[in-house]
Amino acid sequence: MNYEEVISRVHVYGLEESVRGSKYPMATDLSKVSEDVTPTVVKLATSKQGEGHDNFMNGIIVQMDLTLTNKAWVEAERYHFLDFVSSQSTMHRITKFDLDSAYIDYVDPRMVQIMKEKVQAYNDLQARMKETEEPAEKQTLQAELNERYLQILYSNPCGFRITARMTTNYRQLKTIYLQRRTHRLPEWRAFCAWIETLPYSEFITGKTA
């Protein structure tokens, strides 16, 4: 899996300013503090997790569109600063997606077919309700629609892909990289491959060579 399948529309903010800020603890004259990436800056960035020396990386903000399956999104929620700006919604639009392209390749085609059949039945019932003017029948059909919609939501395979606009920072990406670069899910390996393309990715990966 290529990282382009997972990541798009990337913007990095505050890199130079945060590098400059990393030098404040040892500075007495801030007018002489530069934004140059020195060996000391790299040493601070690549210090061990929990030591606190890499705190300046909290200021290097990254925003991106992130596309993951439901399976990977559940795992992503453990990270305290991988925040949702906004995302696609299965709750609102599950019956409107193109299901032929919505699933990762590992989803059994039989499951995709079941989902397509359930969505088609729901949409047919919805069309039927729009045609009737009888209040009692409308009420009965609405109850059935609600039931069918829940069946679709709960039957949806975890290989369904959703895109969200996300905000994070270099320090959180450092944690993710250390924990996920050899993960069993290809999405996480692709995500970590993308991390390696970021400006001064050595701050995150520790790879200074």
Side-chain angles (χ1 to χ4, degrees):
M1 176 179 286
N2 297 321
Y3 68 79
E4 290 91 350
E5 299 176 58
V6 175
I7 297 286
S8 61
R9 297 180 179 85
V10 178
H11 292 282
V12 178
Y13 306 93
L15 196 156
E16 293 180 348
E17 294 83 356
S18 296
V19 167
R20 187 175 189 274
S22 73
K23 301 173 182 179
Y24 284 2
M26 302 303 291
T28 55
D29 185 352
L30 294 183
S31 67
K32 296 180 180 179
V33 177
S34 75
E35 298 173 350
D36 296 337
V37 175
T38 64
T40 299
V41 171
V42 176
K43 184 178 180 181
L44 291 173
T46 57
S47 62
K48 292 181 180 180
Q49 286 180 294
E51 290 183 343
H53 302 304
D54 59 358
N55 196 64
F56 78 95
M57 296 204 300
N58 286 334
I60 308 175
I61 305 300
V62 185
Q63 290 193 339
M64 84 291 283
D65 279 3
L66 179 58
T67 301
L68 297 176
T69 60
N70 287 338
K71 173 62 178 173
W73 276 123
V74 170
E75 296 180 353
E77 289 172 357
R78 69 175 293 172
Y79 296 108
H80 75 279
F81 193 61
L82 183 60
D83 288 345
F84 286 83
V85 176
S86 188
S87 72
Q88 292 178 295
S89 172
T90 54
M91 181 61 67
H92 295 301
R93 306 297 287 177
I94 186 62
T95 60
K96 304 300 181 183
F97 281 90
D98 176 11
L99 297 184
D100 286 320
S101 61
Y103 297 102
I104 199 168
D105 290 342
Y106 296 103
V107 176
D108 192 314
R110 294 172 296 178
M111 297 179 180
V112 177
Q113 185 58 38
I114 289 172
M115 286 298 296
K116 291 169 71 174
E117 291 171 1
K118 286 183 174 294
V119 168
Q120 185 62 54
Y122 175 88
N123 289 334
D124 290 346
L125 190 63
Q126 194 173 51
R128 179 182 161 192
M129 190 177 78
K130 290 179 180 179
E131 293 173 356
T132 184
E133 297 180 359
E134 217 287 307
E137 184 179 5
K138 275 186 173 291
Q139 186 176 6
T140 300
L141 291 175
Q142 185 61 61
E144 186 175 352
L145 278 170
N146 294 343
E147 183 71 16
R148 286 181 179 271
Y149 202 83
L150 289 175
Q151 290 177 8
I152 291 170
L153 285 172
Y154 285 119
S155 298
N156 195 27
C158 64
F160 189 86
R161 290 178 292 197
I162 286 289
T163 298
R165 187 69 182 170
M166 306 298 293
T167 295
T168 188
N169 61 47
Y170 268 38
R171 198 179 189 198
Q172 184 68 97
L173 290 176
K174 180 178 177 180
T175 299
I176 294 173
Y177 186 83
L178 290 173
Q179 295 180 350
R180 303 286 174 172
R181 66 188 184 279
T182 60
H183 197 274
R184 181 171 292 181
L185 294 186
E187 297 155 279
W188 281 122
R189 296 196 301 274
F191 185 86
C192 290
W194 161 73
I195 287 175
E196 294 174 356
T197 71
L198 288 170
Y200 293 103
S201 63
E202 63 268 27
F203 289 0
I204 302 168
T205 67
K207 299 177 181 179
T208 57

